[in-house]
Amino acid sequence: MARAATTTDAFNAVAEPRRRQILDLLRARERPVNELVELLGLAQPQVSKHLRVLREVDLVHVRDEGRHRMYRLNPGPLQPIHDWLGAYEQLWNERFDLMDDVLDDLGKAETDDDGDD
């Protein structure tokens, strides 16, 4: 199976940790690229490259404001990722319930052992 291109698939685009950091920073508010550069501690070309990928999958929108390019999060393309992860929520909850049962049993066994003394 061919791998989806980073620039056409939101899953691949957010697989890169720096792009997730950028999305986290833009979640709070719209920011100019120079502010993202400062907050990320990366060179401007690196940040611009990540922003280009995020724009190509429509996770980020940009507008010009004077001499600045302002970037903002477009959360819509994250919905399929959220939906996919949500499918695993029931599995995680079942496993946590099993772990709670084991811990309860261990706690009861420990209490019973203490009572025998």
Side-chain angles (χ1 to χ4, degrees):
M1 178 179 210
R3 183 175 171 203
T6 300
T7 55
T8 59
D9 181 74
F11 283 87
N12 279 342
V14 300
E16 210 290 323
R18 289 294 188 175
R19 292 185 199 127
R20 291 195 304 272
Q21 283 184 295
I22 291 171
L23 294 175
D24 286 344
L25 291 170
L26 294 176
R27 184 178 52 189
R29 65 178 172 84
E30 184 179 57
R31 296 177 191 269
V33 69
N34 63 328
E35 190 176 319
L36 293 170
V37 166
E38 183 178 323
L39 290 168
L40 294 168
L42 296 174
Q44 192 271 332
Q46 289 176 291
V47 174
S48 292
K49 180 182 173 187
H50 290 305
L51 287 168
R52 180 185 50 78
V53 170
L54 293 171
R55 280 194 333 262
E56 287 178 1
V57 296
D58 202 30
L59 282 167
V60 168
H61 288 173
V62 62
R63 69 177 179 85
D64 292 328
E65 184 179 286
R67 294 175 35 192
H68 296 284
R69 300 200 82 194
M70 302 297 291
Y71 291 88
R72 71 177 188 281
L73 174 68
N74 177 31
L78 292 173
Q79 187 66 46
I81 296 170
H82 177 269
D83 294 345
W84 183 77
L85 288 172
Y88 290 92
E89 185 174 355
Q90 182 178 354
L91 175 69
W92 293 334
N93 288 335
E94 289 170 0
R95 291 191 176 179
F96 284 130
D97 288 345
L98 288 172
M99 190 177 340
D100 285 344
D101 292 345
V102 168
L103 291 173
D104 285 345
D105 289 346
L106 288 173
K108 288 176 187 171
E110 189 173 299
T111 301
D112 290 345
D113 287 344
D114 290 343
D116 291 342
D117 291 335

